[in-house]
């Protein structure tokens, strides 16, 4: 028997990907954005989206659906179902939504992290997906490493070390 090699699949900003174990989905430098992880532990199918904004209806350019919480999460879910995931088994973990723009006190941009997290939670609730764990808020960025074999997520930060969710 040969060891199966785990491939790392990178998810950029305003991007999403779905894969099956053995693989690690990673996204680096999530600040006010939110990383959304959906996982079916039975089939070991998982997906990650790195959203920038809460709602596509608030902007003119809507071509990239992965950029917005209200379109990225349903699209990610659909991709997982198309790949064989079972909707009943899918659970979520979210990270990010930091307060990165302190210098812009009263600007809508200053609260974008918080608004992103609120919208992500609202969409997950509408889709009836249980949110298992979250690491949100604060004023620091996060990098995520999601192991599709174990379902564990390593959250790496420059100021708060590494934690596992």
């Amino acid at each position: 028997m040969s060891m199966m090699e785990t491939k790392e699949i990178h998810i950029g900003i305003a991007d999403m990907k779905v894969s099956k174990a053995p693989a690690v989905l990673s996204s680096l430098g999530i600040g006010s954005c939110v990383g959304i992880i959906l996982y079916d532990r039975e089939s070991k199918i998982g997906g990650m989206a790195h959203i920038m904004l809460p709602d596509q209806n608030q902007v003119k350019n809507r071509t990239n659906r992965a950029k917005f919480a209200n379109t990225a999460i349903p699209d990610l879910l659909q991709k997982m179902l198309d790949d064989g995931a079972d909707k009943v088994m899918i659970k979520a973990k979210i990270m990010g939504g930091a307060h990165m723009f302190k210098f812009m006190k009263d600007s809508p941009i200053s609260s974008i992290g918080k608004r992103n997290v609120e919208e992500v939670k609202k969409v997950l609730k509408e889709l009836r997906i249980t949110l298992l764990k979250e690491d949100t808020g604060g004023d620091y960025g996060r990098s995520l490493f999601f192991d599709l074999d174990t379902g564990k997520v390593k959250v790496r930060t420059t100021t708060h070390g590494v934690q596992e969710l």
Side-chain angles (χ1 to χ4, degrees):
M1 283 191 350
S2 68
M3 289 286 292
M4 287 175 75
E5 195 169 310
T6 301
K7 62 184 181 283
E8 187 168 323
I9 301 165
H10 182 68
I11 289 88
I13 295 173
D15 187 13
M16 72 170 80
K17 302 228 169 72
V18 170
S19 192
K20 186 171 180 162
V24 172
L25 301 181
S26 66
S27 199
L28 310 177
I30 295 176
S32 60
C33 296
V34 175
I36 298 119
I37 289 169
L38 300 182
Y39 185 58
D40 171 352
R41 64 186 166 86
E42 292 295 311
S43 65
K44 297 196 178 203
I45 294 170
M48 183 187 289
H50 182 151
I51 64 105
M52 290 176 68
L53 296 167
D55 187 339
Q56 75 171 149
N57 299 316
Q58 298 167 338
V59 295
K60 286 192 179 78
N61 183 350
R62 304 174 189 175
T63 51
N64 181 358
R65 290 174 56 89
K67 188 187 253 186
F68 311 98
N70 72 321
T71 47
I73 301 169
D75 289 0
L76 187 65
L77 174 62
Q78 191 56 56
K79 277 185 183 189
M80 288 177 62
L81 298 176
D82 292 347
D83 285 359
D86 179 351
K87 169 83 164 58
V88 178
M89 298 305 299
I90 295 174
K91 306 281 188 262
K93 295 179 182 178
I94 64 172
M95 299 88 201
H99 185 70
M100 302 298 283
F101 305 98
K102 285 192 209 58
F103 58 92
M104 302 172 83
K105 288 256 185 287
D106 298 320
S107 158
I109 286 180
S110 71
S111 65
I112 193 70
K114 183 171 180 269
R115 293 196 344 260
N116 278 338
V117 171
E118 286 167 359
E119 184 68 19
V120 164
K121 287 180 176 179
K122 183 177 142 224
V123 174
L124 288 172
K125 193 172 186 175
E126 286 167 1
L127 294 170
R128 293 187 173 85
I129 295 172
T130 303
L131 177 58
L132 287 182
K133 296 188 176 170
E134 69 175 292
D135 177 21
T136 58
D139 59 358
Y140 52 91
R142 296 160 171 89
S143 292
L144 314 179
F145 303 88
F146 171 35
D147 185 338
L148 291 171
D149 196 42
T150 63
K152 297 224 184 311
V153 183
K154 270 198 184 104
V155 182
R156 190 176 297 151
T157 66
T158 50
T159 50
H160 293 75
V162 178
Q163 67 166 317
E164 198 169 79
L165 295 179

